[in-house]
Amino acid sequence: MRKQRHPGYTNCPVEAALDLIGGKWKAIILFRILEETRRFNELRRLMPGLTQRMLTNQLRELERDGLID
């Protein structure tokens, strides 16, 4: 898991959730994956403003944090 942005909020579940899904794309990626199982290129087509590199990085972070397999 990543370092928390604000160490003073160690007991706050909202802060913990925002640390995991914060950012511009992670919530959108999770939304698309929750609809149904998606392949990498399907996600790219659904989000034209997202670069391949950024999608790869975001998916790796979500996987590292245990939110997706």
Side-chain angles (χ1 to χ4, degrees):
M1 183 180 265
R2 269 175 285 145
K3 180 181 171 187
Q4 286 185 330
R5 289 184 216 153
H6 306 288
Y9 297 113
T10 56
N11 295 323
C12 180
V14 173
E15 182 69 25
L18 288 176
D19 277 342
L20 293 176
I21 63 168
K24 183 175 180 181
W25 295 107
K26 285 184 184 176
I28 298 168
I29 292 169
L30 287 172
F31 174 74
R32 295 296 187 181
I33 291 173
L34 287 174
E35 291 176 334
E36 63 182 270
T37 302
R38 304 277 186 180
R39 299 179 73 73
F40 182 84
N41 283 328
E42 287 178 291
L43 289 171
R44 283 188 60 206
R45 273 184 248 121
L46 288 169
M47 297 175 277
L50 179 61
T51 65
Q52 180 175 342
R53 180 177 181 214
M54 182 58 73
L55 178 58
T56 300
N57 289 340
Q58 298 292 291
L59 288 171
R60 284 181 182 155
E61 286 181 15
L62 289 168
E63 187 174 25
R64 183 192 67 216
D65 293 336
L67 295 174
I68 62 172
D69 289 330

